[in-house]
Amino acid sequence: MSGPIQLSEEQTSELLGHFNLSGFRSGQKEVLLHLLNGKNVISLMPTGHGKSFIYWAFAYLNQSNVILVVSPLNSLIVDQVNFFSIFLKKN
């Protein structure tokens, strides 16, 4: 029986290079490794901390499987712009 999946330095370098990043942010690698090992994960990260990268990295590393990543980021941005437009018109 093999042990838990780990990312080699070569895999890490390839992954970060593919996404044009210099390194992982705090917690990203740990969450990604849990996912790669088939574990359920709940991760609370602040806005802009790189949650979307984890989704994309997981999909990139699992190219033998079909993985659909749906990111609500664009919708969130539109909602925020609309909210502030209405807020500014009222003030």
Side-chain angles (χ1 to χ4, degrees):
M1 182 175 205
S2 62
I5 296 172
Q6 295 292 323
L7 291 176
S8 68
E9 285 186 33
E10 183 179 322
Q11 289 171 313
T12 300
S13 179
E14 178 187 337
L15 176 66
L16 295 174
H18 179 78
F19 290 97
N20 199 29
L21 299 171
S22 59
F24 289 103
R25 290 185 178 177
S26 177
Q28 285 180 322
K29 187 173 185 179
E30 292 80 5
V31 170
L32 182 57
L33 288 173
H34 274 81
L35 292 171
L36 291 171
N37 282 287
K39 304 215 178 192
N40 295 324
V41 178
I42 294 176
S43 178
L44 300 175
M45 294 179 171
T47 300
H49 197 72
K51 294 177 292 291
S52 293
F53 166 71
I54 296 169
Y55 307 142
W56 290 108
F58 181 72
Y60 178 79
L61 293 170
N62 282 284
Q63 292 181 9
S64 61
N65 298 310
V66 175
I67 297 176
L68 176 64
V69 177
V70 178
S71 176
L73 184 57
N74 289 337
S75 178
L76 176 61
I77 292 169
V78 170
D79 287 348
Q80 289 175 340
V81 168
N82 289 339
F83 170 78
F84 284 111
S85 295
I86 293 168
F87 177 78
L88 291 174
K89 286 179 185 177
K90 288 181 180 180
N91 293 322

